[in-house]
Amino acid sequence: MVRTSSSPGLKKFGSGGSLWRWGSLDHLALTTRLTAYCRNILRTEQSRIGGSDSKSCLSKGGGYHFPPCHILNICGFSILLDCPLDLSALTIFSPIPTSSKASSFDEENPSCPNHSESSDLEEPMVRKRQKVEKPLDADDLIYAEPWYKTVKNLHLWNVSFIDVVLISSPTGMLGLPFLTRMKGFSAKIYVTEAAARLGQLMMEDLVSMHLEIRQFFGPEESSFPQWMKWEDLMLLPSSLKNVALGKDGGELGGWLSLYSAADVKDCMQKVLRLKYAEEICYNSTLIIKAFSSGLEIGSCNWTINGPKGGVGFISSSIFDSAHAMNFDYNALRGNDIIIYSDFSFSDGTEDVESGYDNSIPTTCNRSSLRNYENDCQELAKSLLNVDEGLEERDKLAFICSCVIDSVKAGGSVLIPISRLGIVLLLLEHISTSLDVSTLKVPMYIISSLAEEFLAFSNIIPEWLCKQRQEKLFSGEPLFAHAKLVNEKKLHVFPAVHSPKLLMNWQEPCIVFSPHWSLRLGPAVHLLQRWSGDQNSLLILESGPDVDLALLPFKPMEMKVLECSFLSGIRLQNVEPLLKILQPKVVLLPKDLKQTSSLKSNSCSTFHYCVNETLHIPSLKDNSELEIATDLASQFNWRNLKQENINMTRLKGELCVDHGRQRLSTGNQESSESRPLVHWGSTDLEKLLVVLSNRGIKATLGDAFGSESESASLVHVHDPNQALIEVRTTSTVISTADESLASIIFEAIEATVKAARRISTLLPLFASATGQRISFHKSFPFFQKCF
């Protein structure tokens, strides 16, 4: 959808929104909600300890810039899927005023840090109470250094319990530095090479833009800003209050001060980059692969295979992309479970009635399989025949026509769109339109990392569509921006006040610059410059906060073009997609159940919603074990008539490798060089005695968890700090001292009552009565051993 408006009106916000307040009843309600959150998390952790698979949706996100976030528990491992930031929440803050307005702004706004403290709180309270019934005004915005809103419930989780982080898109990693700098975080982070580089550039650009605001406001006087105080929050209009606190008031804890460039660098050092479809094995149990989703360069869907079956994770995806590699849905076929996490619902108002038959072949003969493959081919053609690409090209053509009309009238065009693919396509289409119209209008890209973005887009062919890859083989540049720069039709500058830009500047012009929130970056300065020009044009992505984003620049004479680009799978394509994938279990958003009439006879369907843990049914009651041929030849079966069971005794080496459990004869020499892993329970009192005999001072901590799945802590104080976490199925040693970790391991080894000894390549997943001894993942030395 594309709509134009010369002066978009503001929505009238009501003042009757519900909000919890400190007090007896409301405080009790808040406590109940927080208790429910914690209880939900505890249940998930208990299921993790017990080995039950489950999924928790922490946030359903909000479009391309704020993807959903999930916690998935598979085979005892906790997997975090995406860690984004809600940058749309920045609209509750006021942008930096121009130098001509700064002095008057300070005088009019009592919440400005430069304002005299003598005004206290009484005057703004009276002033804002008088405006409570009036339409939202620019003075109602928070005039302070912005904080950034993270995923609502992620801060309630213990990050030390997260084992793996999977990032599906560049925008899905913008909140990652908040996570990696937290104490106790040691998870493996997997990102595609392209998404990792683009995400890093986006984070560095965000830090650079925020630095300008920090320089304007100066250093914070305390770690708790004035605007977050309860009395100030209560004075906000209801629309701003809902953004800051959420509908139930539980989102205030998700606001954080932005990370630093050092935090971003440290975060990227912990990221493991994957090539397209590269196979990575986590802890010899989970096989993880990334396949293109078509949404953006480097964006992907994930497959996770383990002893209990395969799981496919579908993020926002596009079947036919004009720049990125198309949605590779065939790579998701054969998975037992499909988690559908595309909340875009591009055709949400349309009721989906599909004529496809979801039944699966009941007999496994060649004829039925052939028919099934033919059906899949027909369904695949139907998915691509929707021709999403043609519709997107029509949108780009319409945008170009509006751009040409504006520059012909003598106005300039501002495009603060941050989607790299859309920017690259717009550059190509607009330059072609300018050539056809014989207009000599310069195009500028103003961003601190624009050169890096453009350079990287020409060296990642494996994540581009086939048409772009063919250009590479023919010796042509993948995108047209390199040619435009050489012809001096496109100019790239790092900042709006760059001396070279000021020398080159001429109007009318076409400018691409961040940030789409209209609170950061060069876009703020340019919008303040052109907002009064009726011939100029602002091109924005449509969204629920567009009116709020434009509020500080009112009144506006500038034309506004609001565009919506395809950001996910259309509803009518969901059912044929599931027909092709044919999973046994499908997890769908509850919103999808309410907006469509999907019917599926071929698989079990479960619906999930935010802040609820959904337990995934086990598809395999027994684990599979591969036995070497030489061992199988030694079978000497004995029949237990009473139990109707045949049994035999084997002696061999049991190991877990690439998600498969194998039993082989083993090699005595190689076995002796490997660390031993014992099954049995650890006597904590005896462990303290053994540690004391070895010169280690330790004390018992409080136990936690349920009665059946309890966990105990042993705190080591001397000679160095260490923590021993004894669970039902594992014992984890956490310390920065490698020699101390070795001594503690030997002490635990001495106290374990071994029912059996198994020499393994990696720690085994024991049964409910077993015990696994492993090391914390943050130790490089023991990571190599285990």
Side-chain angles (χ1 to χ4, degrees):
M1 181 189 74
V2 180
R3 69 176 178 87
T4 59
S5 173
S6 58
S7 57
L10 291 174
K11 299 177 182 177
K12 186 175 181 180
F13 296 94
S15 58
S18 60
L19 183 71
W20 52 267
R21 296 187 298 270
W22 294 116
S24 56
L25 294 179
D26 292 335
H27 181 253
L28 178 60
L30 170 63
T31 304
T32 303
R33 282 192 290 271
L34 291 177
T35 303
Y37 291 160
C38 297
R39 187 183 298 114
N40 188 36
I41 293 172
L42 181 58
R43 281 201 305 268
T44 305
E45 286 305 314
Q46 291 174 352
S47 67
R48 174 184 182 271
I49 296 173
S52 174
D53 292 349
S54 63
K55 177 198 165 298
S56 299
C57 179
L58 303 185
S59 168
K60 65 179 183 180
Y64 170 86
H65 298 287
F66 185 36
C69 179
H70 306 269
I71 286 280
L72 183 64
N73 289 278
I74 300 179
C75 299
F77 298 110
S78 290
I79 302 175
L80 175 65
L81 293 157
D82 289 318
C83 186
L85 284 181
D86 184 8
L87 295 179
S88 66
L90 289 174
T91 53
I92 69 173
F93 295 94
S94 175
I96 295 178
T98 58
S99 56
S100 60
K101 297 181 181 179
S103 58
S104 61
F105 209 115
D106 289 342
E107 294 176 0
E108 295 175 2
N109 197 317
S111 61
C112 174
N114 299 326
H115 190 269
S116 174
E117 298 181 359
S118 61
S119 59
D120 207 357
L121 288 175
E122 295 182 3
E123 183 178 345
M125 286 175 64
V126 174
R127 183 175 66 86
K128 296 208 172 195
R129 283 200 188 103
Q130 293 173 350
K131 293 184 178 182
V132 70
E133 300 298 334
K134 295 181 180 180
L136 199 63
D137 187 79
D139 291 339
D140 294 320
L141 299 178
I142 299 172
Y143 189 64
E145 179 183 341
W147 277 31
Y148 293 78
K149 194 175 183 181
T150 60
V151 174
K152 175 181 176 181
N153 296 323
L154 185 58
H155 66 280
L156 298 175
W157 287 74
N158 187 338
V159 296
S160 63
F161 290 156
I162 299 176
D163 300 296
V164 178
V165 179
L166 301 181
I167 301 297
S168 304
S169 66
T171 56
M173 65 184 299
L174 295 185
L176 205 53
F178 289 125
L179 201 65
T180 56
R181 73 182 185 183
M182 294 180 68
K183 184 178 181 181
F185 178 83
S186 60
K188 296 287 186 182
I189 306 171
Y190 298 112
V191 193
T192 66
E193 285 182 335
R197 181 55 181 160
L198 294 177
Q200 180 182 4
L201 292 175
M202 292 172 67
M203 290 186 290
E204 291 175 351
D205 198 28
L206 186 63
V207 171
S208 176
M209 289 185 292
H210 184 84
L211 183 60
E212 180 186 12
I213 299 179
R214 181 164 292 174
Q215 290 174 344
F216 178 81
F217 285 104
E220 295 182 352
E221 296 180 358
S222 67
S223 58
F224 193 77
Q226 174 70 28
W227 68 268
M228 291 188 72
K229 294 184 178 180
W230 190 251
E231 55 269 21
D232 284 6
L233 290 172
M234 289 299 95
L235 299 177
L236 291 175
S238 60
S239 57
L240 304 184
K241 200 181 300 182
N242 288 337
V243 176
L245 300 174
K247 294 181 180 180
D248 59 359
E251 299 182 13
L252 183 60
W255 289 90
L256 296 171
S257 178
L258 187 63
Y259 41 74
S260 64
D263 292 328
V264 175
K265 182 179 179 180
D266 179 68
C267 170
M268 297 310 300
Q269 290 176 348
K270 299 176 181 178
V271 168
L272 301 176
R273 296 164 174 80
L274 303 181
K275 298 182 182 297
Y276 183 83
E278 179 183 354
E279 181 180 290
I280 191 73
C281 184
Y282 176 77
N283 205 24
S284 288
T285 305
L286 301 179
I287 308 299
I288 301 172
K289 292 183 182 180
F291 299 93
S292 175
S293 68
L295 178 65
E296 186 55 273
I297 299 173
S299 297
C300 68
N301 296 316
W302 295 95
T303 61
I304 308 170
N305 288 279
K308 293 188 177 182
V311 177
F313 178 78
I314 300 179
S315 60
S316 297
S317 304
I318 296 178
F319 288 97
D320 185 15
S321 174
H323 64 286
M325 180 175 286
N326 292 342
F327 175 23
D328 188 2
Y329 53 86
N330 285 316
L332 301 175
R333 294 174 64 178
N335 286 290
D336 301 298
I337 301 173
I338 290 294
I339 301 176
Y340 188 86
S341 180
D342 189 340
F343 283 83
S344 59
F345 303 155
S346 299
D347 294 336
T349 57
E350 178 181 350
D351 188 27
V352 179
E353 290 289 350
S354 174
Y356 296 110
D357 180 16
N358 275 333
S359 60
I360 59 174
T362 55
T363 57
C364 189
N365 53 46
R366 292 184 179 180
S367 177
S368 62
L369 291 176
R370 191 181 304 112
N371 292 335
Y372 168 68
E373 291 297 332
N374 292 335
D375 290 342
C376 288
Q377 292 177 5
E378 292 298 323
L379 289 172
K381 291 180 181 179
S382 70
L383 293 176
L384 296 177
N385 283 339
V386 177
D387 202 353
E388 298 170 341
L390 178 59
E391 184 177 339
E392 293 301 295
R393 286 191 291 272
D394 290 340
K395 292 180 184 179
L396 294 175
F398 178 76
I399 293 173
C400 291
S401 66
C402 295
V403 170
I404 297 300
D405 291 341
S406 292
V407 296
K408 280 184 177 180
S412 296
V413 181
L414 176 60
I415 309 176
I417 294 177
S418 299
R419 295 174 63 162
L420 178 61
I422 298 298
V423 170
L424 295 175
L425 294 176
L426 281 175
L427 283 172
E428 294 179 346
H429 284 74
I430 293 176
S431 63
T432 301
S433 299
L434 290 175
D435 292 340
V436 172
S437 60
T438 66
L439 290 173
K440 302 296 182 181
V441 177
M443 292 190 294
Y444 298 100
I445 298 181
I446 306 176
S447 172
S448 61
L449 296 170
E451 291 186 356
E452 287 83 349
F453 274 111
L454 296 179
F456 184 73
S457 63
N458 267 331
I459 58 172
I460 44 175
E462 67 173 343
W463 287 98
L464 299 181
C465 61
K466 292 183 179 180
Q467 294 84 350
R468 302 286 173 178
Q469 292 180 354
E470 290 174 356
K471 288 187 175 183
L472 176 68
F473 298 132
S474 62
E476 301 178 33
L478 300 178
F479 295 95
H481 57 76
K483 180 181 178 182
L484 295 175
V485 171
N486 292 334
E487 295 176 350
K488 296 185 178 180
K489 295 179 179 179
L490 176 65
H491 309 274
V492 182
F493 297 99
V496 72
H497 300 300
S498 171
K500 293 183 178 180
L501 172 61
L502 297 178
M503 293 176 60
N504 183 278
W505 184 262
Q506 68 180 71
E507 296 184 18
C509 59
I510 301 168
V511 181
F512 295 83
S513 67
H515 186 264
W516 57 268
S517 67
L518 303 184
R519 296 297 182 269
L520 305 169
V524 174
H525 302 280
L526 295 173
L527 187 54
Q528 289 169 340
R529 176 182 179 87
W530 293 330
S531 61
D533 183 5
Q534 62 180 0
N535 294 322
S536 292
L537 175 66
L538 172 65
I539 301 177
L540 291 174
E541 278 195 78
S542 60
D545 300 315
V546 170
D547 291 337
L548 184 59
L550 294 173
L551 181 61
F553 309 99
K554 296 290 184 176
M556 283 187 65
E557 296 293 333
M558 189 180 190
K559 295 182 179 66
V560 177
L561 177 64
E562 214 178 310
C563 315
S564 65
F565 300 100
L566 188 63
S567 298
I569 302 173
R570 299 184 185 277
L571 281 181
Q572 68 262 28
N573 293 335
V574 176
E575 191 172 356
L577 174 63
L578 296 179
K579 165 76 174 182
I580 294 176
L581 300 183
Q582 277 208 328
K584 298 177 182 177
V585 175
V586 178
L587 306 185
L588 296 171
K590 200 169 185 178
D591 295 352
L592 191 60
K593 178 181 180 181
Q594 297 171 353
T595 58
S596 65
S597 57
L598 294 175
K599 300 184 291 293
S600 178
N601 300 320
S602 62
C603 60
S604 300
T605 303
F606 297 88
H607 293 88
Y608 63 86
C609 57
V610 177
N611 195 41
E612 285 191 6
T613 298
L614 179 65
H615 292 277
I616 303 174
S618 177
L619 301 178
K620 292 184 179 181
D621 295 331
N622 302 311
S623 298
E624 296 179 356
L625 177 65
E626 296 181 3
I627 303 177
T629 306
D630 51 354
L631 278 179
S633 62
Q634 301 175 13
F635 285 171
N636 185 14
W637 294 103
R638 294 185 180 182
N639 186 17
L640 300 180
K641 297 182 179 180
Q642 294 180 350
E643 301 293 337
N644 194 23
I645 296 176
N646 292 328
M647 62 178 298
T648 185
R649 178 178 295 178
L650 288 176
K651 182 179 180 181
E653 182 181 87
L654 179 64
C655 66
V656 180
D657 185 35
H658 279 69
R660 296 183 177 182
Q661 302 180 38
R662 295 187 177 94
L663 186 64
S664 59
T665 54
N667 185 306
Q668 186 64 29
E669 293 182 1
S670 62
S671 298
E672 291 178 354
S673 62
R674 299 171 189 156
L676 291 177
V677 178
H678 302 279
W679 287 8
S681 59
T682 303
D683 190 321
L684 298 181
E685 296 294 339
K686 289 186 177 180
L687 176 60
L688 293 179
V689 174
V690 174
L691 290 174
S692 178
N693 293 337
R694 296 171 186 260
I696 298 175
K697 296 182 180 179
T699 57
L700 289 179
D702 296 332
F704 61 95
S706 63
E707 294 182 1
S708 59
E709 301 293 347
S710 62
S712 301
L713 298 177
V714 178
H715 299 277
V716 176
H717 310 288
D718 189 67
N720 278 319
Q721 296 282 335
L723 179 67
I724 307 172
E725 186 178 345
V726 182
R727 295 180 176 272
T728 306
T729 57
S730 66
T731 298
V732 179
I733 305 170
S734 302
T735 180
D737 189 335
E738 295 179 4
S739 60
L740 177 60
S742 300
I743 298 174
I744 294 175
F745 176 76
E746 294 173 357
I748 296 176
E749 185 180 30
T751 56
V752 170
K753 299 177 180 179
R756 31 197 323 209
R757 283 191 171 188
I758 303 178
S759 179
T760 64
L761 294 174
L762 287 151
L764 296 176
F765 285 99
S767 63
T769 59
Q771 182 75 14
R772 181 189 62 170
I773 301 178
S774 62
F775 286 98
H776 200 271
K777 298 182 290 301
S778 60
F779 307 154
F781 175 78
F782 290 106
Q783 188 177 345
K784 294 178 182 177
C785 293
F786 287 81

